[in-house]
Amino acid sequence: MFPFHSTRRTFLQAAGATVGAALFSPATPLSRSLPLSNLGLAPQNDGPADYSLTIATKPIELSPNHIISVTTYNGQFPGPLLRLKEGERVTVDVRNETDTPEQLHLHGQFVPSDVDGAAEEGSPFIPPHGSRRISFVPRPAGFRFYHTHVRAGADLTKGQYSGLVGPVYIEPKRHSGNYDREVFLTLKEFQPTLSHGGDMPQDFLAPAQTVGALKEAGESKMKASLAKGMPHGYEVGYDFFTINGKMLGHGEPVRVKEGQRVLFHILNGSATEIRSLALPGHSFSVIAMDGNPLPKPVRVPILWLGTAERISAIVEMNHPGVWIMGDLADDDRHHGMGIVVEYAGYKGKAQWLPPRPFKWNYAHFGALNPTSAQPDEIFDMLFEKQNAALDGFNQWTINGVAYPRDQMTTAPTFHLHEGKRYRIRMRNASDDIHPIHLHRHSFELTKITGQATSGVMKDVVMVGGYQEVEIDFVANNPGLTLFHCHQQLHMDFGFMTLFDYDG
Ligand SMILES: [Cu+2]
């Protein structure tokens, strides 16, 4: 009964078989047909699924000298690109070969709560050594992704510290865009370790002004905690940095020709880190954020992506050579966070040049004359940190309440009425930047640190230290809806809350 295309009834290839730094294009078949019966899967209904994902712990090669054991989808990192069509129902079989329950979250899609892949919303777990078939109608069009949605807590092999991340591209019904080819890049660190204190970039957001009252509250709380002899709460650092699972210099380069327009779909697949990206001598024409088209393309020299954010940007290849497209942080780039861009006819060592300073302001991507509809209701949220309060881990609260660590669902705090427009006024009383995510809905950025904006639709937004951000969304997808910081170390230690619909 569903409009399946037999060509999409495919099993995606496992580790090692997919080379080329996972550079997929519509013309490049990434999969081969293989009957699912060969895989020991017994579909409960309707025959084989369109896609099959197997969660298992296997070795992957980040470079010849860095082979690690990590949990992935289909034995590869990133997981296979799921190229879906807007509005055409698909089925995905998810097999869990690990010893712990799993969740497959369809990040950025408007799906029902039981398919979204968050236990907090009531999605069933994929049992250990078991499987679950999901069926959904992909929407909205654009660059989405899938990832695990289990809590890791202090176990840095679990949750998004693992390799359980993969890209999704939902083809729009009508194609637009003027480009020669597409390249998907997933940025991700491996080998996490706990440390006291981090080196997270802090000063790249604009406007830079902080709110005095938030700063005073946060700093006095921190001072009081340290005065009691508490250490700084744990942070997470990493040994290895990769793009498409390869450390800089070890994957296939992005091979380009002079004059080409290359559309990059970039995903920050990190569990905890904010990433930047530059390509010396080139600029990015950003056409979509979190998969949603911008009011107009905006040209920038640098990209910044909080955890789980995506950027789609066209780069005109007009500066021939062999270049490093990499993170601005020298240390992270030296440990692998980069990929080589090689022009046809050019050879030699890839070059890096630090870009000129540039601040990241979301409002820069919005409409020239901001006009957002007035909300029907405003929700105020205050984000606070209790330093090292939970066995050395920071505890996080929204309006003074931490999400219970020992239970999945809890009484929803915010109540929605279908069809109404809501504004969330977020105030961050901590010095950390929080990439805030709303499940199953898109939101519009309406105010960034005092600056009005409109027209930028997202599902993750970074809220700067001691800053305020406002987002609006229309309650158009009934069901339990999770709201959380996408920083794994924050969400696992309280930084989540639930919305529900009345009526
Ligand atoms: Cu956070």
Side-chain angles (χ1 to χ4, degrees), residues 221 225 384-390 393-397 400:
K221 238 167 118 171
S225 172
E384 289 174 289
K385 170 162 75 176
Q386 326 294 331
N387 180 57
L390 296 168
F393 289 88
N394 299 323
Q395 184 181 52
W396 294 92
T397 60

Side-chain angles (χ1 to χ4, degrees), residues 25 38 154 158 160 236 246 257 268-269 300 340 364 455 491:
S25 75
N38 289 6
K158 294 276 184 318
Q160 229 174 298
V236 173
K246 294 291 182 188
K257 291 194 182 83
N268 181 352
V300 291
V340 175
H364 191 54
M491 68 179 285

Side-chain angles (χ1 to χ4, degrees), residues 48-60:
D50 298 292
Y51 288 97
S52 175
L53 296 172
T54 298
I55 300 165
T57 307
K58 296 226 165 96
I60 61 166

Side-chain angles (χ1 to χ4, degrees), residues 90-134:
V90 289
T91 52
V92 181
D93 278 334
V94 193
R95 166 116 197 119
N96 177 10
E97 291 182 356
T98 72
D99 297 331
T100 49
E102 267 298 338
Q103 287 282 354
L104 181 85
H105 173 45
L106 301 172
H107 187 118
Q109 293 201 46
F110 303 161
V111 290
S113 301
D114 62 336
V115 177
D116 191 42
E120 293 82 356
E121 297 173 340
S123 309
F125 278 102
I126 306 148
H129 305 281
S131 47
R132 180 170 185 236
R133 168 169 291 194
I134 54 169

Side-chain angles (χ1 to χ4, degrees), residues 433-435 485 487 490 495:
I433 296 171
H434 301 291
C485 176
Q487 223 273 25
H490 299 179
F495 206 145

Side-chain angles (χ1 to χ4, degrees), residues 383 396 428 430 432-436 463 484-491 495:
F383 306 149
W396 294 92
N428 178 8
S430 74
D432 304 62
I433 296 171
H434 301 291
I436 298 294
V463 180
H484 63 92
C485 176
H486 216 284
Q487 223 273 25
Q488 185 93 42
L489 198 59
H490 299 179
M491 68 179 285
F495 206 145

Side-chain angles (χ1 to χ4, degrees), residues 5-144:
H5 296 283
S6 57
T7 51
R8 284 156 66 216
R9 215 169 269 176
T10 49
F11 171 74
L12 294 147
Q13 272 176 293
T18 307
V19 290
L23 307 177
F24 305 133
S25 75
T28 310
L30 71 150
S31 50
R32 63 198 156 100
S33 291
L34 192 69
L36 282 170
S37 54
N38 289 6
L39 305 170
L41 287 180
Q44 304 88 330
N45 49 49
D46 295 332
D50 298 292
Y51 288 97
S52 175
L53 296 172
T54 298
I55 300 165
T57 307
K58 296 226 165 96
I60 61 166
E61 185 186 297
L62 309 178
S63 86
N65 292 325
H66 301 93
I67 296 168
I68 60 163
S69 178
V70 65
T71 308
T72 57
Y73 297 109
N74 295 4
Q76 66 181 68
F77 187 87
L81 171 68
L82 305 186
R83 210 169 173 110
L84 312 176
K85 289 204 168 74
E86 186 182 19
E88 289 191 19
R89 183 174 285 274
V90 289
T91 52
V92 181
D93 278 334
V94 193
R95 166 116 197 119
N96 177 10
E97 291 182 356
T98 72
D99 297 331
T100 49
E102 267 298 338
Q103 287 282 354
L104 181 85
H105 173 45
L106 301 172
H107 187 118
Q109 293 201 46
F110 303 161
V111 290
S113 301
D114 62 336
V115 177
D116 191 42
E120 293 82 356
E121 297 173 340
S123 309
F125 278 102
I126 306 148
H129 305 281
S131 47
R132 180 170 185 236
R133 168 169 291 194
I134 54 169
S135 168
F136 60 96
V137 177
R139 71 190 177 99
F143 186 30
R144 317 281 156 208

